Amino acid sequence: MKKNILGALVIFFVTLAFLLMIDDITNSKTPEYQNTVEVYEADEQPDMATTDLENEE
């Protein structure tokens, strides 16, 4: 009896994760994800520069 309940819980959570993953994939066509890259021409310079270095004090 205990194994049946544990098996049902595992199947339930796997199904829930699968459905959430499908929902996330189908709803990922929002503009906030599509406009993450800006392309500049060769003679243009962006207004802001970014670095990966942290300030050392």
Side-chain angles (χ1 to χ4, degrees):
M1 177 82 177
K2 196 173 189 178
K3 288 184 180 180
N4 290 340
I5 294 173
L6 290 176
L9 282 174
V10 168
I11 291 172
F12 173 75
F13 284 115
V14 167
T15 305
L16 181 67
F18 182 72
L19 291 174
L20 287 173
M21 184 180 66
I22 289 176
D23 183 52
D24 190 40
I25 290 172
T26 58
N27 290 334
S28 67
K29 296 180 176 87
T30 57
E32 64 188 39
Y33 294 117
Q34 293 176 355
N35 296 329
T36 56
V37 177
E38 294 183 19
V39 179
Y40 296 99
E41 295 295 327
D43 57 346
E44 292 181 359
Q45 292 291 326
D47 294 335
M48 183 175 66
T50 57
T51 62
D52 293 334
L53 301 175
E54 294 182 12
N55 293 336
E56 296 180 11
E57 295 179 14

